[in-house]
Amino acid sequence: LKHNPGMDARDFYALELAAKAKIEFRRTYWYVPSATHEGGHRVEADTSACSCEDYELRRQPCKHMLAVRIVRERNTGRAVPMADLPPT
């Protein structure tokens, strides 16, 4: 992931999640542990949606979706595009 001077809080927290959390692929989705409560969030395999409140409210990529993208890039060694999101 390249440095982006326009990085916002979600980008920062996504980098932190990707570095510290145990993000797992579970057959059909990614599991991202929650930083604020027990359990975690479900990110669709293609990173098109997340079960967190931030995504549900904004319908824009959340820190969990961005963290999965970082992990996928790290694991494959190449950039992974975000899925097309539905219009808001």
Side-chain angles (χ1 to χ4, degrees):
L1 193 66
K2 295 180 181 177
H3 172 69
N4 179 353
M7 202 167 155
D8 69 9
R10 280 181 194 83
D11 296 319
F12 174 79
Y13 291 127
L15 284 169
E16 186 175 46
L17 270 173
K20 296 180 179 180
K22 185 178 178 186
I23 297 174
E24 304 173 325
F25 186 70
R26 296 186 173 176
R27 298 182 65 140
T28 61
Y29 66 94
W30 290 87
Y31 175 80
V32 182
S34 173
T36 58
H37 61 80
E38 282 198 37
H41 301 286
R42 178 186 174 125
V43 175
E44 295 302 319
D46 64 357
T47 66
S48 63
C50 180
S51 64
C52 77
E53 186 176 348
D54 182 44
Y55 175 76
E56 292 296 322
L57 292 172
R58 295 179 331 108
R59 294 289 184 202
Q60 296 292 319
C62 63
K63 65 183 179 183
H64 311 104
M65 295 164 74
L66 297 170
V68 166
R69 182 176 180 214
I70 293 165
V71 168
R72 288 174 61 192
E73 287 180 9
R74 182 177 65 208
N75 291 349
T76 63
R78 62 182 189 274
V80 176
M82 290 296 287
D84 290 331
L85 298 172
T88 56

